[in-house]
């Protein structure tokens, strides 16, 4: 069984049995690159989700985010099989982690889709940046990763920047878009748990196998919710092209994240991934004509300072 210590972590190939290797400079750099790829595709995925939010029910969008990613995993498996790569055996421990990850992913994506339905994409994505703080607390207990004081300081900057994104009405003082904020906060907890479980899963199976398994499980778990949406079939068919594009981004995001988790602690991966906020605020703010962009740019700059500190 894989164990994660200070000097070594469980590593794996993209498709095959896990192997042990030290966290050298090259492997750490590969983890950072994979995390940045994951961050870019996360931004693209979130923008696609916001674009379809006004046209589909949140439950339909949640199910589609998993369903339309599955064909791309099929392409990856075929390509790896062509090059003679073989998958490792799936243990009971791995299957249990997949089930737990699927359940937490249902809550995470469901909350995110509902938040996008009622709030700005830059606000929602920013509040999801609280997940590194939550991971800082739970990682030592769930994954065994040790959190250094310097990492905690960097994560604190990220959290402060996320809080700056919250806007109040100048007259009444009330927080704007409170429903979206609530869903985003709950989603940040679920996403933190997701990353912790992902970190454990890649110790039992390859990155691609882990990513595919949790995606398939989440799709099966969200399927019953569609029976409550009378227009689900029409929404899936009418937005198939947009869902396929988002499915591609979802696949690249998940595989890159799993690869990163084989070399870096979960809270560090999620912390670096928050760089996606900078892209989301700039692109999303302009694309969707969102207000208060200056305040959110300030918030993202604070978060970026935390990310630089975290990397250093």
């Amino acid at each position: 069984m894989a164990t994660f210590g200070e000097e070594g972590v469980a590593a794996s190939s993209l498709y095959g049995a896990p192997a042990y290797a030290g966290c050298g400079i090259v492997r750490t750099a590969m983890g950072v690159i994979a995390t940045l790829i994951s961050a870019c595709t996360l931004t693209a995925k979130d923008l696609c989700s916001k674009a379809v939010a006004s046209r589909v029910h949140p439950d339909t969008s949640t199910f589609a985010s998993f369903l339309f990613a599955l064909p791309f995993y099929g392409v990856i498996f075929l390509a790896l099989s062509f090059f003679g790569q073989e998958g490792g055996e799936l243990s009971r421990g791995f299957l249990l982690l997949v089930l737990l990850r699927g359940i937490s992913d249902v809550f995470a994506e469901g909350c995110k889709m509902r938040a996008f339905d009622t709030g700005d994409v830059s606000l929602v994505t920013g509040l999801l940046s609280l997940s590194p703080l939550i991971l800082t607390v739970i990682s030592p207990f769930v994954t065994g990763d040790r959190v250094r004081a310097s990492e905690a300081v960097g994560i604190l900057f990220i959290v402060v920047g996320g809080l700056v994104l919250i806007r109040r009405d100048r007259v009444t003082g009330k927080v704007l878009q409170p429903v979206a904020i609530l869903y985003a906060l709950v989603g940040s907890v679920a996403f933190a748990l997701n990353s912790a479980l992902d970190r454990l899963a890649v110790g039992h199976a390859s990155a691609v196998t882990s990513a595919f398994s949790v995606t398939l499980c989440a799709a099966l778990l969200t399927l019953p919710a569609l029976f409550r949406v009378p227009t689900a079939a029409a929404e899936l068919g009418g937005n198939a092209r947009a869902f396929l594009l988002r499915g591609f981004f979802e696949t690249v995001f998940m595989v890159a994240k799993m690869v990163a988790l084989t070399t870096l602690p979960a809270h560090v991966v999620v912390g670096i991934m928050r760089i996606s906020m900078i892209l989301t605020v700039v692109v999303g703010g302009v694309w969707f004509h969102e207000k208060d962009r200056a305040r959110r740019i300030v918030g993202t700059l604070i978060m970026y300072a935390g990310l630089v500190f975290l990397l250093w």
Side-chain angles (χ1 to χ4, degrees):
M1 179 175 178
T3 57
F4 301 94
E6 185 175 2
E7 298 298 329
V9 297
S12 67
S13 62
L14 282 179
Y15 190 95
Y20 289 91
C23 282
I25 296 177
V26 175
R27 292 185 67 249
T28 301
M30 290 177 59
V32 172
I33 293 173
T35 305
L36 293 176
I37 293 174
S38 184
C40 292
T41 50
L42 174 61
T43 295
K45 184 168 75 82
D46 286 346
L47 292 176
C48 288
S49 295
K50 179 61 178 178
V52 300
S54 61
R55 305 197 301 266
V56 300
H57 190 278
D59 288 338
T60 304
S61 186
T62 301
F63 173 71
S65 67
F66 304 122
L67 176 67
F68 284 83
L70 296 178
F72 296 102
Y73 283 108
V75 174
I76 294 175
F77 280 126
L78 287 175
L80 291 174
S81 297
F82 177 78
F83 289 103
Q85 298 291 330
E86 296 181 358
E89 295 182 0
L90 304 182
S91 65
R92 291 183 179 179
F94 173 74
L95 295 177
L96 176 60
L97 288 172
V98 167
L99 177 60
L100 293 175
R101 172 57 162 82
I103 294 173
S104 66
D105 211 13
V106 169
F107 281 99
E109 289 293 334
C111 287
K112 186 189 343 188
M113 297 308 172
R114 283 170 170 76
F116 281 147
D117 190 41
T118 57
D120 293 341
V121 63
S122 56
L123 171 66
V124 173
T125 309
L127 291 179
L128 292 175
S129 67
L130 294 176
S131 56
L133 175 62
I134 300 168
L135 269 176
T136 302
V137 177
I138 69 175
S139 283
F141 304 99
V142 179
T143 67
D145 292 325
R146 298 181 62 180
V147 181
R148 301 173 182 174
S150 59
E151 295 171 346
V153 172
I155 289 172
L156 179 61
F157 272 90
I158 297 172
V159 172
V160 171
L163 293 177
V164 171
L165 300 175
I166 299 177
R167 186 162 58 101
R168 293 178 178 270
D169 187 273
R170 295 181 178 179
V171 178
T172 64
K174 294 182 178 180
V175 175
L176 300 179
Q177 303 179 4
V179 176
I181 291 173
L182 178 61
Y183 276 124
L185 291 176
V186 175
S188 68
V189 176
F191 276 116
L193 184 58
N194 279 2
S195 295
L197 293 172
D198 285 342
R199 174 74 157 133
L200 294 174
V202 293
H204 293 264
S206 69
V208 173
T209 299
S210 299
F212 168 75
S213 299
V214 297
T215 302
L216 176 61
C217 181
L220 295 175
L221 290 174
T222 53
L223 180 59
L226 291 188
F227 294 107
R228 300 182 301 175
V229 185
T231 59
E235 291 173 350
L236 290 173
N239 297 276
R241 184 174 298 179
F243 286 150
L244 275 174
L245 178 61
R246 187 179 62 176
F248 170 76
F249 292 135
E250 167 72 20
T251 304
V252 177
F253 158 70
M254 277 297 298
V255 173
K257 179 183 177 182
M258 290 295 188
V259 171
L261 286 171
T262 65
T263 61
L264 299 173
H267 61 279
V268 175
V269 171
V270 176
I272 298 174
M273 280 175 56
R274 287 303 100 199
I275 199 172
S276 64
M277 260 304 302
I278 300 175
L279 300 175
T280 303
V281 168
V282 175
V283 179
V286 174
W287 189 358
F288 299 109
H289 307 288
E290 295 178 348
K291 299 179 180 179
D292 207 20
R293 287 201 296 269
R295 179 189 182 94
R296 290 172 181 169
I297 288 175
V298 171
T300 56
L301 289 177
I302 296 175
M303 293 172 63
Y304 184 74
L307 289 169
V308 172
F309 192 89
L310 184 65
L311 286 171
W312 175 81

